[in-house]
C-alpha cells in the first residue's frame, strides 16, 4: 500500500528542506517506498479534517490504509521497522539506533528549536538580545558533546541508521547559523547525510513542491 504524507502547501523555508516532512521523505526514499503527497495550507492544517489526523494541527502526517500517524520521529520509526536498511537486525544495535532517534528529537532538537523561536518569534522583544546568546550557548554545549561522541566515525553507531537520519535532519537547521562549522566533524557528518542519494531525491521532491511542480515522491 502506498502511504500518503502531508506537507506544507507553501513552505516558509522556501524549499530548503527544513520542514519536518523532509525526514519522512528521506526515510521513505532510503526504504525505496513510493509515497503520495497531499499539500496542506496553514488554514487547512487547523481545520477539523486535518486535526482528525494531527491533533496539534501540524505537518507531517502519514496515512497508510487505516493507519494514521503524526510525529516525524514516530513515522520514521514505523518506516524503519518495516523496511530493511534503516535499523540494524541485531537487537542491541537496533535499540541503540532507536536511542539516537530519541536523542535527536528529545535532546539535540529542543535548543535548536529554541533558536528559531528566539530569532523569528521573539526577535523584537526587548529581552531578545539577552536571550539569544543563552540559547546559542545551550546549542554549543550539545554540539560539543555530540561532536566528542562522533569523533572521526562516519555515523553515530556503526552503519548509517534511522538514528543518523533523524540526527542529520535536526542538525540541518543549524547550517545557516554557522554553529555547525565550529565542529568540522559535525559539519562533515551532515554533509555525508546530504550526499546520500535518498536524501538528494527527498530534497528534490520537497523543492519541487516549492517550485510548483507535481508533488509526487
Ligand atoms: N514534533 C512534531 C514532528 O516532529 O512531527 C513537530 C511538527 C511541526 O513542528 N510541524 C511544523 C508545522 O506544522 C512544520 S515543521 N507548523 C505549523 C504549525 O504549527 O502551525 C517546523 C518548521 C516550520 C518552518 C520551518 N521553516 O520555515 O524553516 C522549518 C520547520
Amino acid at each position: 500500500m502506498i502511504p500518503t504524507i502531508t506537507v506544507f502547501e507553501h513552505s516558509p523555508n522556501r524549499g530548503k528542506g527544513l520542514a519536518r516532512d523532509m525526514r519522512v521523505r528521506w526515510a521513505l526514499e532510503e526504504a525505496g517506498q513510493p509515497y503520495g503527497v497531499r499539500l496542506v495550507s496553514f488554514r487547512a492544517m487547523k481545520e477539523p479534517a486535518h486535526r482528525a489526523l494531527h491533533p496539534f494541527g501540524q505537518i507531517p502526517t502519514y496515512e497508510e490504509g487505516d493507519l494514521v500517524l503524526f510525529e516525524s520521529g514516530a513515522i520514521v520509526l514505523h518506516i524503519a521497522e518495516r523496511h530493511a536498511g534503516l535499523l540494524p537486525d541485531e537487537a542491541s544495535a537496533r535499540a541503540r539506533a532507536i536511542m539516537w532517534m530519541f536523542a535527536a528529537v528529545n535532546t539535540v532538537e529542543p535548543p535548536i528549536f529554541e533558536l528559531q523561536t528566539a530569532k523569528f518569534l521573539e526577535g523584537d522583544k526587548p529581552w531578545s538580545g539577552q536571550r539569544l546568546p543563552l540559547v546559542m550557548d545551550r546549542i554549543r554545549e550539545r554540539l560539543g558533546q555530540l561532536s566528542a561522541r562522533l569523533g572521526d566515525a562516519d555515523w553515530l553507531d556503526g552503519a548509517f541508521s534511522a538514528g543518523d537520519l533523524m540526527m542529520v535532519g535536526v542538525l540541518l537547521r543549524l547550517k545557516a547559523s554557522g554553529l555547525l562549522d565550529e565542529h568540522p566533524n559535525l559539519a562533515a557528518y551532515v554533509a555525508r547525510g546530504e550526499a546520500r542519494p535518498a536524501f538528494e531525491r527527498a530534497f528534490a521532491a520537497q523543492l519541487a513542491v516549492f517550485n510548483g511542480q507535481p508533488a509526487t515522491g
Side-chain angles (χ1 to χ4, degrees):
M1 178 163 302
I2 298 202
T4 299
I5 64 170
T6 53
V7 310
F8 280 137
E9 181 178 32
H10 298 292
S11 174
N13 71 96
R14 307 176 64 80
K16 293 198 182 85
L18 300 181
R20 287 179 174 93
D21 61 288
M22 179 62 200
R23 305 158 183 186
V24 174
R25 291 176 179 276
W26 185 8
L28 288 162
E29 292 289 352
E30 292 282 353
Q33 170 65 58
Y35 61 99
V37 173
R38 195 165 63 250
L39 309 183
V40 192
S41 67
F42 276 98
R43 188 177 48 76
M45 237 178 262
K46 308 303 172 194
E47 287 174 355
H50 188 75
R51 281 199 198 271
L53 306 177
H54 197 311
F56 307 116
Q58 296 183 314
I59 58 98
T61 60
Y62 176 98
E63 293 157 77
E64 184 190 344
D66 291 341
L67 176 67
V68 179
L69 295 175
F70 60 92
E71 281 300 328
S72 57
I75 298 169
V76 170
L77 180 56
H78 172 77
I79 296 163
E81 282 180 327
R82 276 152 191 79
H83 298 272
L86 281 169
L87 286 175
D89 290 334
E90 196 273 318
S92 296
R94 195 176 180 93
R96 289 196 304 274
I98 294 170
M99 169 189 75
W100 279 115
M101 294 181 70
F102 276 85
V105 292
N106 209 31
T107 301
V108 178
E109 187 163 47
I112 295 175
F113 180 78
E114 279 306 303
L115 179 61
Q116 318 288 314
T117 307
K119 275 188 179 168
F120 301 116
L121 298 181
E122 302 170 349
D124 58 347
K125 302 283 187 270
W127 36 263
S128 170
Q130 285 174 298
R131 173 159 150 76
L132 205 53
L134 299 177
V135 173
M136 299 276 274
D137 282 349
R138 283 200 281 274
I139 297 174
R140 283 198 171 93
E141 187 183 6
R142 283 288 176 258
L143 293 185
Q145 294 158 339
L146 186 66
S147 167
R149 171 55 78 99
L150 180 66
D152 57 9
D154 278 355
W155 306 113
L156 287 166
D157 193 314
F160 174 82
S161 78
D164 295 296
L165 186 152
M166 291 301 292
M167 191 64 82
V168 170
V170 162
L171 294 177
L172 274 172
R173 289 178 86 172
L174 287 178
K175 272 179 75 174
S177 72
L179 285 168
L180 271 183
D181 301 319
E182 295 177 12
H183 299 281
N185 67 337
L186 290 185
Y189 173 63
V190 170
R192 261 191 301 282
E194 290 178 295
R196 292 181 71 84
F199 179 96
E200 290 177 347
R201 289 193 296 274
F203 188 89
Q206 61 81 41
L207 183 60
V209 173
F210 178 71
N211 288 333
Q213 289 153 18
T216 53

